[in-house]
Amino acid sequence: MKISVAPLLKQPVGHRVEHVLAEGPPIDPRGENADLLDAEITAFEAEVHVTHTDPGALLEGTARADLSAECARCLRPISIPVRARFAEQYYATIHVESGAAMDEAPGDAKTIGSDFMIDLTQLIREEVILATPVAALCRPDCRGLCPVCGADLNERPHTHEERTDERWSKLRELRAALAEDEAPPGDRT
Ligand SMILES: [Zn+2]
Ligand SMILES: [Zn+2]
């Protein structure tokens, strides 16, 4: 969703407007919020307050989003809820009424171009990515996958004793061989 801040910048400094936006699940891949899909966002809602500040517009608000991810331990697909609170200053580069160039914005600052449009979808996408946990788990005590056989330890808790396993299998072979010798067909009795 893109908004024009031109009307806001024509109002006195301190003037404020509110935008509420939400979509999903699902988010339309051909819609105006489609860029959220490449951040694995499946649904979101956001409230954005836009205030006319001296160098431009301050965007403050909250975003809530659901992300599709996989558990960092057991790899099963999960949906993680993410909440972000944000405050971003956008610097006007051109005076809205006179068209005169404004003082240069700080190097890494977000700027408002000559079309006076701000893309709220991109802002929400960035803020949700920043608030996303690095390693999400399906549950806090997820046991993960067995490092030996790869089985899900939540479903089948187990341990391996690799060396003994080998020895046991040798022993089993030996036993089987002995059993063949010692347990002959019934006619021996
Ligand atoms: Zn898990
Ligand atoms: Zn295992």
Side-chain angles (χ1 to χ4, degrees):
M1 181 193 192
K2 286 186 179 166
I3 56 162
S4 170
V5 292
L8 178 79
L9 298 182
K10 288 174 184 165
Q11 298 292 323
V13 167
H15 189 81
R16 182 161 130 141
V17 291
E18 190 186 331
H19 294 272
V20 176
L21 50 163
E23 192 179 346
I27 290 172
D28 181 357
R30 286 172 303 280
E32 60 176 357
N33 296 314
D35 284 351
L36 299 177
L37 293 170
D38 63 49
E40 304 297 340
I41 297 170
T42 56
F44 80 98
E45 46 187 76
E47 266 179 46
V48 185
H49 300 277
V50 188
T51 308
H52 182 193
T53 51
D54 193 16
L58 174 67
L59 277 72
E60 298 167 287
T62 54
R64 286 172 296 280
D66 290 330
L67 263 71
S68 69
E70 55 184 30
C71 171
R73 288 190 196 148
C74 72
L75 309 181
R76 73 176 77 181
I78 52 172
S79 177
I80 25 177
V82 175
R83 292 179 70 90
R85 287 193 66 84
F86 54 86
E88 280 284 352
Q89 174 67 40
Y90 286 69
Y91 290 79
T93 52
I94 294 170
H95 193 278
V96 70
E97 268 155 346
S98 69
M102 308 270 281
D103 290 345
E104 209 167 303
D108 57 347
K110 290 186 155 65
T111 54
I112 301 168
S114 54
D115 61 355
F116 293 97
M117 299 296 282
I118 291 180
D119 188 343
L120 295 183
T121 306
Q122 288 310 321
L123 174 67
I124 289 162
R125 183 179 176 281
E126 282 176 27
E127 298 298 339
V128 168
I129 290 172
L130 286 175
T132 300
V134 176
L137 299 177
C138 62
R139 55 176 211 237
D141 62 344
C142 172
R143 294 163 183 262
L145 300 179
C146 171
V148 177
C149 71
D152 189 334
L153 293 172
N154 300 298
E155 286 165 9
R156 195 167 64 85
H158 65 277
T159 53
H160 294 270
E161 294 171 71
E162 285 175 273
R163 287 188 171 180
T164 20
D165 261 9
E166 220 169 278
R167 259 182 281 150
W168 280 117
S169 68
K170 288 258 158 59
L171 196 60
R172 270 196 297 273
E173 277 169 34
L174 191 62
R175 260 202 203 142
L178 286 172
E180 269 171 32
D181 291 347
E182 283 174 7
D187 62 15
R188 208 188 246 195
T189 44

